[in-house]
Amino acid sequence: MIPVGTKAPEFTLQDKDGNTVSLSDFAGKKVVLYFYPRDNTPGCTKQACAYRDNFAAFQDKGVVVIGISKDSVKSHQNFATKFDLPFILLSDPERQAIEAYDVWHEKKMCGKVSMGVVRSTCVIDENGMVIYSADKVKTDADPLNVLAFLEA
């Protein structure tokens, strides 16, 4: 995961509706970027729903929440509709942001080794600097940990 104190890498990706979204669109605002492996899997669903359930607290702080995975725009659209997700989901099939934020790593599961997204979260401040960075985050605790950081 990208270290604290680093300038956040710029990216431009499509959201669940096919609109182009760039990190620079949110200059002057804090942004939570959370990277997750895949739509509609148990852990990723739990994490997304935890962000949904705490979304009002992020809005109250003026913080933008963005989830990023390799899934397609259509997959994100279905995922957001199915679970009533109010925040931005970005599709990164070419791993532009995933690799720029250093969350594409070797993973071991059930004895198999493969490459994939390591569940990670960062917070970017109003000036585009990374002020919080965590990898291997716990699905349901992630939004609460970010909110605790933002309140500190």
Side-chain angles (χ1 to χ4, degrees):
M1 183 71 194
I2 194 164
V4 170
T6 305
K7 177 80 173 156
E10 177 61 31
F11 57 79
T12 301
L13 302 168
Q14 285 190 315
D15 71 7
K16 66 178 178 57
D17 299 314
N19 300 313
T20 300
V21 176
S22 298
L23 180 60
S24 58
D25 295 343
F26 306 103
K29 293 186 176 187
K30 281 192 174 80
V31 176
V32 172
L33 282 185
Y34 86 90
F35 294 88
Y36 65 100
R38 194 170 200 169
D39 292 342
N40 290 303
T41 58
C44 296
T45 299
K46 186 185 278 190
Q47 185 178 24
C49 290
Y51 271 104
R52 175 199 65 203
D53 295 347
N54 290 283
F55 188 64
F58 286 102
Q59 281 190 305
D60 289 348
K61 296 180 181 325
V63 176
V64 177
V65 175
I66 301 174
I68 300 177
S69 80
K70 285 182 48 195
D71 293 302
S72 69
V73 168
K74 181 73 174 154
S75 177
H76 280 344
Q77 192 173 59
N78 293 339
F79 187 48
T81 300
K82 184 176 181 179
F83 294 102
D84 196 27
L85 305 177
F87 49 85
I88 299 165
L89 291 178
L90 296 179
S91 176
D92 191 8
E94 305 298 318
R95 303 191 312 257
Q96 175 193 352
I98 288 168
E99 291 191 18
Y101 284 80
D102 192 29
V103 298
W104 185 254
H105 292 276
E106 188 176 271
K107 297 166 71 172
K108 293 177 185 167
M109 192 171 190
C110 302
K112 292 177 80 175
V113 177
S114 63
M115 294 297 289
V117 173
V118 174
R119 192 180 310 281
S120 307
T121 302
C122 70
V123 177
I124 301 163
D125 74 6
E126 297 84 350
N127 301 311
M129 299 301 289
V130 176
I131 58 171
Y132 173 92
S133 180
D135 62 0
K136 298 177 185 166
V137 298
K138 302 289 183 211
T139 57
D140 48 353
D142 185 35
L144 299 175
N145 291 337
V146 174
L147 283 168
F149 168 78
L150 291 169
E151 289 173 7

